[in-house]
Amino acid sequence: MHNIEPIINESRQVYIETINAVQDYIENHLDEEINIQKLCKIASFSEYHFQRIFKQFTSESLYCFIKRLRLEKAIFLLRCNRN
């Protein structure tokens, strides 16, 4: 019987790196329109698969992730801007 643990760990690492790349893109483009097609292209996944994997690894939906980051940025800017 073959041990598939290394294959599972390698696949998991690829998913983590892919999701991290997408998160980096989102964080660097919060002021722009972010569409699912562009993110799927970065991840090289179909829309369905991408959204499922994203939620599995981040514990929040793509929409909630983007919304949360935008709100956090707005709060930060409001707190820093004394005018």
Side-chain angles (χ1 to χ4, degrees), residues 12-69:
R12 181 173 174 73
Q13 187 60 37
V14 169
Y15 282 142
I16 289 170
E17 290 171 7
T18 300
I19 296 303
N20 285 340
V22 170
Q23 288 176 318
D24 289 344
Y25 177 85
I26 292 169
E27 289 173 10
N28 291 320
H29 295 87
L30 283 176
D31 296 338
E32 302 170 19
E33 181 180 334
I34 298 173
N35 66 54
I36 184 93
Q37 293 80 16
K38 174 69 174 176
L39 300 178
C40 289
K41 189 174 182 179
I42 292 167
S44 298
F45 294 142
S46 69
E47 287 184 32
Y48 171 78
H49 189 64
F50 171 70
Q51 291 187 65
R52 190 174 60 81
I53 295 299
F54 189 90
K55 182 158 185 159
Q56 181 180 355
F57 280 87
T58 64
S59 300
E60 63 186 328
S61 72
L62 176 62
Y63 173 76
C64 288
F65 177 77
I66 294 169
K67 185 176 175 180
R68 179 177 58 78
L69 289 183

Side-chain angles (χ1 to χ4, degrees), residues 1-14:
M1 192 86 176
H2 295 285
N3 185 358
I4 64 167
E5 190 67 30
I7 295 170
I8 292 172
N9 287 337
E10 186 176 320
S11 294
R12 181 173 174 73
Q13 187 60 37
V14 169

